[in-house]
Amino acid sequence: KNEVEQSPQNLTAQEGEFITINCSYSVGISALHWLQQHPGGGIVSLFMLSSGKKKHGRLIATINIQEKHSSLHITASHPRDSAVYICAVGGNKLVFGAGTILRVKS
Amino acid sequence: GAVVSQHPSWVICKSGTSVKIECRSLDFQATTMFWYRQFPKQSLMLMATSNEGSKATYEQGVEKDKFLINHASLTLSTLTVTSAHPEDSSFYICSARAHFPGAGGYEQYFGPGTRLTVT
């Protein structure tokens, strides 16, 4: 079993849909990161959180430390949200999930 | 949020040459910088951890003489791929970590990555 598991692996949504990507982990952490990687490869840091919930625009990230689980939500999804979303957990050294490939169709 | 830049964003070099990739924290001082490598359709893999003014710590299996890391200041770390070979072609990503008291502790931000192609 991987230390960081993301689900689903692939997700296709229609424009406007509410999207949820999940991340479960088994390692001890001081923080959890959500990253976005576009087809060209560039990485964008979306969130870093250690408790509770953060919101930025249409993106919301939550974490439950007791359950070792985090979710990334995208409201009113748009084709430009199509990317790979990566969960990474840890402290000084991060362990990365395999990523969720999201495709939003117009 | 804090910004980390990498330069160049992509580079093509000939086999046997060396190439340097820069990682800069633009609006904060990073006590620690990390270098990652990503092969196609795979996740990021940590190569080394670099603290300002000290030698980098390399992960198992990463050749320190091939991947030279210099962290000369709190805002700049460089990765030099020496005597590059086609199998070194990959996507190289850095991240920078710093203490933000207002944010409640350490935070880490990722650079956009550098795509290296060795011909």
Side-chain angles (χ1 to χ4, degrees):
Chain A
K1 191 179 189 298
N2 293 331
E3 293 174 305
V4 180
E5 295 269 4
Q6 285 187 235
S7 63
Q9 291 183 327
N10 290 278
L11 179 58
T12 299
Q14 205 62 37
E15 182 175 359
E17 285 185 358
F18 180 83
I19 288 164
T20 297
I21 299 171
N22 296 298
C23 176
S24 295
Y25 54 92
S26 57
V27 296
I29 72 166
S30 60
L32 181 144
H33 298 255
W34 281 103
L35 310 173
Q36 180 192 56
Q37 186 169 31
H38 283 283
I43 287 195
V44 176
S45 292
L46 297 177
F47 294 103
M48 192 186 86
L49 63 166
S50 53
S51 65
K53 176 180 173 178
K54 285 189 177 180
K55 184 176 188 294
H56 186 253
R58 295 180 295 107
L59 302 178
I60 302 167
T62 64
I63 188 169
N64 185 316
I65 298 293
Q66 287 73 32
E67 294 185 4
K68 296 192 172 183
H69 180 269
S70 174
S71 292
L72 175 69
H73 304 286
I74 304 175
T75 61
S77 60
H78 190 276
R80 64 175 174 266
D81 297 325
S82 298
V84 178
Y85 291 83
I86 302 168
C87 169
V89 304
N92 206 23
K93 287 188 182 182
L94 295 177
V95 180
F96 293 84
T100 294
I101 302 171
L102 171 65
R103 181 178 169 221
V104 181
K105 297 193 289 186
S106 57
Chain B
V3 178
V4 176
S5 72
Q6 283 185 238
H7 178 79
S9 54
W10 61 270
V11 57
I12 301 172
C13 71
K14 290 189 177 180
S15 188
T17 62
S18 295
V19 62
K20 180 185 286 188
I21 302 169
E22 292 185 349
C23 175
R24 292 181 187 273
S25 55
L26 296 186
D27 48 2
F28 66 100
Q29 293 186 323
T31 49
T32 305
M33 287 187 172
F34 304 88
W35 286 97
Y36 301 89
R37 182 174 184 176
Q38 185 183 36
F39 290 107
K41 298 187 188 281
Q42 294 186 26
S43 196
L44 283 72
M45 184 181 72
L46 180 65
M47 298 175 67
T49 302
S50 157
N51 291 298
E52 186 263 339
S54 61
K55 288 185 180 180
T57 303
Y58 291 81
E59 294 300 299
Q60 192 172 14
V62 178
E63 298 175 61
K64 61 180 181 181
D65 294 329
K66 181 163 186 63
F67 298 100
L68 299 178
I69 292 171
N70 183 279
H71 193 161
S73 77
L74 287 171
T75 59
L76 173 65
S77 176
T78 59
L79 168 68
T80 302
V81 183
T82 62
S83 187
H85 287 114
E87 57 263 32
D88 298 325
S89 298
S90 189
F91 194 58
Y92 293 88
I93 303 132
C94 74
S95 71
R97 186 168 180 257
H99 189 251
F100 293 88
Y106 284 95
E107 297 200 350
Q108 187 172 160
Y109 294 92
F110 286 79
T114 296
R115 185 162 302 284
L116 169 64
T117 302
V118 184
T119 61

